[in-house]
Amino acid sequence: MINQDFFLALDELERQKGISKDEFLSALENALCIAYKKNSGESSAVEVKLNAEKNSIKIYSVRTVVEEVVDSEKEISLQDAQEIKKSYKVGDQITAEIKSKDFGRIAAQTAKQVLLQKLREIEHENTVNEFEDKEGELMACTVRRIEDGNVYVEIGGNQIEGVLMPRDQVPGEKYELNQKINVYVKRVKNTGRLAQIVVSRTANGLVKRLFENEVPEIKQGIVLVKGVARDPGQRTKIAIYSEDPSVDAVGACVGNKGARVNAIVSELGGEKIDIIPWSENPLEYISSALSPARVIKVVQTGDESAMAVVPDDKLSLAIGRSGQNARLAVRLTGWKIDVKSESVAIKELEELGLGESSEEADE
């Protein structure tokens, strides 16, 4: 039966979980009405009253005073009502306590069910409220379990569960129970009664947020991140820019003796990072994006397409293993880039009517 301990437990839940005691009691009263009627088979109107001060719970039948009774379980005639109390009139409601030996058992079972449901609802609400404005943020979390390839993490102040799906895990990166990791909040999936925080270690936004944390100039808006292109676990290119010519944007991101960028590389498990100075001149931007290769020249060959000319012995470096370097440069700049060795490019550019001597190109 519900007793003093039950009401004390509600006080504790209100403090720990943020469940309103009054809200819970209201929900419990409604649930108890339904449970009692289902258990007793009665269709009459009933009310349940919980009194936290007296640690009591009582159930009442409710009948409405009418001139002519149609439903005896829900109505009472004016004549019968006035025999109970002469002041009753049509439309008044008469309540009478129901004594039921089964009600204590019903109350205990229903209280447990409603409590569990309320806990689920409040956890869902807290999850949505806490994370609805956290999408796109970097958050620290702890690995709690690994099932079917998914990594489930504990995240946020309310210890909400997030999921790191296989597609959001860095290839080759290992996760262990109780491991502390940083994740990027991709989205909050709010489907009915369920809320799920989808997090990522592969998102470009993860790199951007890590730089914001490590480089004060980015957080202050002095240095801007203009773009990120990434092959998770292997290489990232990040384009940065400062409108203040006195600020060395690349130097700010690298840090003293490489301290800032090295901290980010370490967080990403050794992933290589190319810090690219952004330029409003797309050809200049493309040249920088192909770093670490030296580019002799970049020639526009069409609408947002260009040929990048590199020394013959730097072609493989410019293209990268499996085309990675060139591919990331394309993603970063948004241009189609055809990387050519100098010896091949001279002939092709002449055929296109864009050629010039190698001496002029070197200039």
Side-chain angles (χ1 to χ4, degrees), residues 2-268:
I2 294 176
N3 55 26
Q4 182 179 7
D5 290 339
F6 170 79
F7 289 100
L8 289 174
L10 288 186
D11 292 332
E12 188 66 21
L13 279 172
E14 189 167 34
R15 286 193 296 270
Q16 291 187 357
K17 295 289 187 178
I19 299 177
S20 166
K21 182 177 177 180
D22 291 339
E23 182 183 343
F24 174 77
L25 289 176
S26 176
L28 181 56
E29 287 176 356
N30 291 332
L32 284 170
C33 288
I34 296 170
Y36 173 76
K37 291 168 74 172
K38 182 178 179 181
N39 183 268
S40 65
E42 293 186 16
S43 60
S44 59
V46 296
E47 286 184 358
V48 173
K49 296 296 180 183
L50 291 98
N51 190 321
E53 293 180 1
K54 295 183 178 180
N55 303 319
S56 68
I57 177 171
K58 294 182 180 181
I59 187 166
Y60 301 88
S61 65
V62 182
R63 291 188 294 173
T64 303
V65 179
V66 295
E67 289 283 4
E68 185 177 346
V69 175
V70 176
D71 185 342
S72 60
E73 290 188 340
K74 298 179 181 179
E75 298 170 339
I76 183 172
S77 69
L78 178 61
Q79 181 180 347
D80 290 342
Q82 288 181 341
E83 287 181 3
I84 299 171
K85 187 177 180 181
K86 288 199 175 291
S87 60
Y88 280 132
K89 58 185 182 297
V90 173
D92 286 348
Q93 289 190 325
I94 299 176
T95 60
E97 184 179 353
I98 298 173
K99 301 292 185 179
S100 171
K101 63 181 181 180
D102 293 328
F103 189 60
R105 175 180 56 81
I106 296 170
Q109 291 175 344
T110 305
K112 180 179 179 181
Q113 292 170 357
V114 173
L115 178 58
L116 291 174
Q117 178 61 30
K118 266 298 173 188
L119 284 172
R120 285 193 292 268
E121 288 178 4
I122 202 70
E123 184 175 87
H124 170 270
E125 186 178 338
N126 286 345
T127 298
V128 174
N129 290 343
E130 181 177 351
F131 286 92
E132 62 183 356
D133 61 345
K134 292 290 193 298
E135 289 187 5
E137 294 296 321
L138 181 73
M139 299 195 75
C141 63
T142 304
V143 176
R144 287 306 184 209
R145 58 193 176 94
I146 302 172
E147 294 178 5
D148 300 324
N150 294 321
V151 178
Y152 294 91
V153 298
E154 187 179 279
I155 184 171
N158 288 333
Q159 300 180 337
I160 301 302
E161 185 175 78
V163 59
L164 186 65
M165 297 180 184
R167 64 175 175 269
D168 292 309
Q169 299 170 22
V170 175
E173 197 169 65
K174 303 298 181 183
Y175 306 100
E176 299 178 355
L177 295 182
N178 299 318
Q179 179 183 356
K180 305 289 186 183
I181 58 175
N182 287 313
V183 295
Y184 179 81
V185 179
K186 281 179 67 175
R187 65 184 180 278
V188 179
K189 293 174 66 176
N190 185 9
T191 55
R193 295 180 178 179
L194 299 176
Q196 187 179 55
I197 311 302
V198 180
V199 299
S200 177
R201 289 277 297 169
T202 61
N204 289 346
L206 176 70
V207 175
K208 182 178 179 182
R209 295 302 184 194
L210 288 171
F211 268 92
E212 287 178 354
N213 282 358
E214 287 292 334
V215 182
E217 291 86 346
I218 292 179
K219 182 159 285 188
Q220 295 164 9
I222 299 171
V223 173
L224 305 176
V225 176
K226 303 292 283 188
V228 178
R230 186 181 181 205
D231 272 352
Q234 299 182 48
R235 192 177 211 101
T236 285
K237 289 183 183 289
I238 180 169
I240 47 88
Y241 173 75
S242 176
E243 294 179 349
D244 186 345
S246 66
V247 175
D248 177 4
V250 173
C253 292
V254 172
N256 185 30
K257 297 182 180 180
R260 292 174 177 175
V261 71
N262 286 341
I264 298 169
V265 168
S266 177
E267 168 64 32
L268 296 176

Side-chain angles (χ1 to χ4, degrees), residues 278-297:
W278 179 85
S279 172
E280 61 182 357
N281 181 332
L283 303 186
E284 185 178 318
Y285 186 25
I286 289 169
S287 179
S288 298
L290 286 167
S291 173
R294 181 176 72 86
V295 177
I296 296 173
K297 68 180 300 181

